Amino acid sequence: MESFCTGLVEQAGVLLLPASTYRSELTETPADRFRVGIGRHDPAPALEALDGWLRARR
């Protein structure tokens, strides 16, 4: 998942954080997850960039 997130930010400018960022000693952290944070007033451009990047990877 780290390489997925790295490729996305490098190629499309969209930042997703892999689950490994949120490791805890209390529970296991799945390696195949990421978190999406919508921290913008208008998230549409970021979501469109994510959509375009995903479609290009097919």
Side-chain angles (χ1 to χ4, degrees):
M1 189 52 59
E2 280 78 6
S3 62
F4 176 87
C5 292
T6 299
L8 178 60
V9 75
E10 289 176 351
Q11 298 165 19
V14 177
L15 178 63
L16 295 180
L17 297 177
S20 61
T21 302
Y22 298 97
R23 274 182 267 222
S24 170
E25 294 179 11
L26 300 175
T27 61
E28 288 187 35
T29 303
D32 61 345
R33 308 279 198 287
F34 58 82
R35 291 191 180 194
V36 177
I38 308 289
R40 295 182 170 262
H41 178 68
D42 180 15
L47 294 174
E48 290 170 6
L50 173 60
D51 180 59
W53 188 78
L54 290 171
R55 289 177 187 274
R57 292 177 46 111
R58 287 187 189 176

